[in-house]
Amino acid sequence: MRTRDALYIDGRWTPSSGDRTVKIVNPATEAVFATVPEATAEDVDRAVRAARGAFPQWSTTTVDTRTELLTRLRDALAGRQEEIATTVSAEMGAPMTVARQVQAGLPLAVLGSYVGLLPSQPFEETIGNSLVIREPVGVVGAITPWNYPLHQIMCKVAPALAAGCTVVLKPSELAPLSAFLLADAAADAGLPAGVLNVVSGTGSAGEAITAHPDVDMISFTGSVRTGRRIGEVAAATVKRVTLELGGKSANVILSDVDGDQLRRVVESGLYYAFFNSGQTCTAWTRMVVPAALHEEVLSLAASACESYSTGDPRDEATRLGPLVSGPQRERVRRYIRTGIEEGARMVVGGKEPPDGLARGFYVRPTIFGDVTSSMTVAQEEIFGPVLCVLSYADEEEALSIANDTIYGLSGGVWSADTEHAVAFARRMRTGQVTVNGGKYNVQAPFGGVKQSGHGRELGLYGLAEYLDTKSLQL
Ligand code: NAD
């Protein structure tokens, strides 16, 4: 975990043309522990030229060569797994258990999945008298957020490189350090110069990538506000754009769930709402329950909440670390205040810092009951450990509540009858639904509908985003 004083451009560590740096703050201590260069538009231009220069050769490598290099990249990253976990935990506050398992483990699983699927991909097919060739899109600008920093990077870099694209990566200014570890691993793995370039910096570096005429595609994960801006700027050069944006996902408990199953379902719901301190785009922030079960659900949720020990991310017993930053903590506290003002019933939590945690960007895990769909806390993405419980009279109302936001990224549905749950899931307007707790699949397409964005990541669907088709009529 260290300060970085250079950008990774064309296979070399290159100082920025400017002299500004970005400070990296540990959210558990509020102390600056590292700095990275703040890339200028000139640095971005150099990185894009490097990626453009590397494209002709990289795009024509064989599948075997790319598979071999991605395997070496995976091995080089695997050797850094503990360093990745401690680094990501320090920069964005994930408890070490989450950092090991998800922040470090998941990117390796994603990269591994592309190593596995690439060799069997037919990049050509025959349709009638045509030969259809799938070609890499070109130079990809990858712009990523801070909440699962290396995972979100890998969801772009792995399929882009597998497809034969070259990449200019701009990680989040709040959590950029794992991108530097990725560049170290790329150098160790012998990835050819210019194939992967890393420019750290703020939104203005991201905007310079988006506007650059020599970038063919932007793959973005982040907020709706930035996604809109990226769409506008990219339109000037008619770039391909994929957007993975926010969410306000509904976790619907159908009326046949009861007894011990209800307790387990509520515990799972809380887990998916609070994981990573609620800083998850797919978090199930709205629990939608039958009116008859509302009080029982609230009491089960409140007692499950007691096990969410909040504190130092390095402590193995911690389940909730701090939020990423001071502004993020303020935003979450503001929403807690708004929920109370709008008449939601706060069952546990509150806007005061948790006991004994005045330093660090901590908030209390908070549960609201009696939430209605028109309330701000039921509509806007809070991005903290705040669960809203809404009740419904019948299944049609449950569906209309579930679909009643501008988002459509994720969701859950539970029933004693799986067929019934699947039928309900089909009617939810969202990119993915977990049915009765089905487990996460790194090969299944991931992405949103409505204002959660467009495009898909992971597996074959993720690879397809980085390919264009060309038809030769023979
Ligand atoms: P953000 O939009 O503030 O920043 C994301 C990235 O965009 C950062 O690298 C930032 O520097 C860059 N950026 C900012 N302004 C830019 C501009 N004008 N042009 C180009 N790039 C610019 O988001 P954040 O706060 O880092 O992340 C939180 C958001 O991300 C939440 O809304 C969350 O739901 C969303 N998210 C979505 C997914 C998903 O897969 N759908 C996953 C994780 C997070």
Side-chain angles (χ1 to χ4, degrees):
M1 219 182 314
R2 59 188 170 94
T3 282
R4 299 288 189 147
D5 57 9
L7 307 165
Y8 191 65
I9 297 176
D10 211 11
R12 281 188 298 276
W13 290 104
T14 312
S16 167
S17 65
D19 55 6
R20 292 166 72 116
T21 57
V22 180
K23 295 187 174 78
I24 313 304
V25 174
N26 181 325
T29 62
E30 304 187 26
V32 173
F33 71 96
T35 60
V36 298
E38 183 179 331
T40 62
E42 192 183 326
D43 298 328
V44 165
D45 183 56
R46 276 191 288 164
V48 173
R49 278 190 281 125
R52 176 58 59 200
F55 181 71
Q57 208 175 355
W58 181 249
S59 59
T60 50
T61 48
T62 63
V63 163
D64 284 352
T65 300
R66 294 203 296 284
T67 306
E68 164 68 23
L69 280 161
L70 290 180
T71 306
R72 282 202 248 150
L73 181 63
R74 184 193 56 187
D75 295 346
L77 270 179
R80 291 172 166 81
Q81 220 170 329
E82 187 62 15
E83 191 182 3
I84 292 167
T86 51
T87 301
V88 173
S89 174
E91 62 187 355
M92 54 69 68
M96 276 308 292
T97 42
V98 174
R100 286 200 185 94
Q101 193 194 342
V102 178
Q103 303 289 8
L106 194 52
L108 277 169
V110 170
L111 181 52
S113 80
Y114 281 103
V115 167
L117 65 80
L118 189 55
S120 60
Q121 281 324 293
F123 283 89
E124 295 185 2
E125 65 177 313
T126 301
I127 301 178
N129 66 319
S130 299
L131 176 65
V132 179
I133 305 170
R134 301 172 86 203
E135 297 180 330
V137 167
V139 173
V140 172
I143 303 174
T144 54
W146 48 265
N147 52 335
Y148 295 93
L150 190 58
H151 171 61
Q152 285 142 347
I153 287 170
M154 199 53 80
C155 287
K156 303 178 185 320
V157 168
L161 299 186
C165 294
T166 56
V167 176
V168 176
L169 165 66
K170 208 298 282 172
S172 164
E173 56 272 50
L174 295 177
L177 295 173
S178 58
F180 286 86
L181 294 174
L182 175 65
D184 290 338
D188 287 358
L191 214 63
V195 168
L196 173 67
N197 306 275
V198 178
V199 289
S200 51
T202 61
S204 66
E207 187 141 340
I209 296 172
T210 310
H212 202 293
D214 242 353
V215 171
D216 300 287
M217 168 178 173
I218 298 292
S219 174
F220 172 73
T221 299
S223 62
V224 174
R225 188 168 53 99
T226 307
R228 282 196 198 107
R229 176 73 189 148
I230 284 181
E232 272 167 30
V233 173
T237 44
V238 198
K239 287 180 176 52
R240 180 181 292 199
V241 175
T242 63
L243 300 173
E244 299 287 343
L245 309 177
K248 189 74 192 175
S249 296
N251 177 28
V252 181
I253 302 177
L254 297 180
S255 59
D256 59 358
V257 174
D258 58 13
D260 202 45
Q261 194 193 3
L262 183 63
R263 183 186 52 76
R264 282 183 280 111
V265 165
V266 171
E267 284 172 5
S268 295
L270 211 61
Y271 176 83
Y272 281 103
F274 286 177
F275 193 76
N276 211 30
S277 293
Q279 301 169 119
T280 303
C281 51
T282 52
W284 294 348
T285 48
R286 297 180 298 141
M287 192 179 281
V288 183
V289 308
L293 296 180
H294 183 246
E295 290 307 314
E296 190 180 353
V297 164
L298 287 184
S299 111
L300 288 168
S303 57
C305 192
E306 284 166 20
S307 69
Y308 283 82
S309 48
T310 305
D312 187 343
R314 288 166 307 178
D315 182 342
E316 299 281 335
T318 293
R319 290 189 79 184
L320 295 180
L323 300 184
V324 71
S325 67
Q328 185 63 22
R329 178 183 53 183
E330 275 325 297
R331 173 191 155 99
V332 173
R333 284 178 173 170
R334 212 169 43 243
Y335 276 115
I336 294 173
R337 267 198 306 274
T338 305
I340 296 166
E341 282 160 17
E342 290 186 342
R345 172 162 41 122
M346 197 174 69
V347 183
V348 290
K351 62 182 171 39
E352 305 310 325
D355 296 338
L357 292 171
R359 176 177 289 277
F361 306 126
Y362 294 96
V363 292
R364 286 174 191 262
T366 298
I367 299 174
F368 282 119
D370 292 333
V371 176
T372 59
S373 209
S374 60
M375 290 180 188
T376 309
V377 287
Q379 289 296 322
E380 297 185 11
E381 185 178 51
I382 299 174
F383 235 52
V386 180
L387 175 71
C388 293
V389 180
L390 298 90
S391 60
Y392 64 86
D394 57 34
E395 235 169 69
E396 286 310 305
E397 192 186 9
L399 185 70
S400 92
I401 292 172
N403 290 338
D404 181 25
T405 76
I406 59 166
Y407 297 110
L409 187 58
S410 173
V413 57
W414 304 83
S415 167
D417 171 1
T418 303
E419 293 291 304
H420 186 184
V422 169
F424 190 91
R426 287 181 191 277
R427 300 171 71 199
M428 291 169 77
R429 279 202 71 202
T430 188
Q432 49 263 304
V433 183
T434 299
V435 176
N436 283 341
K439 72 177 195 305
Y440 184 73
N441 176 1
V442 289
Q443 306 245 21
F446 175 93
V449 300
K450 301 197 276 180
Q451 292 191 35
S452 289
H454 45 75
R456 292 292 177 267
E457 296 198 310
L458 298 176
L460 284 178
Y461 288 86
L463 183 68
E465 300 286 351
Y466 297 91
L467 295 166
D468 258 331
T469 51
K470 178 193 279 174
S471 320
L472 308 186
Q473 275 63 252
L474 306 173

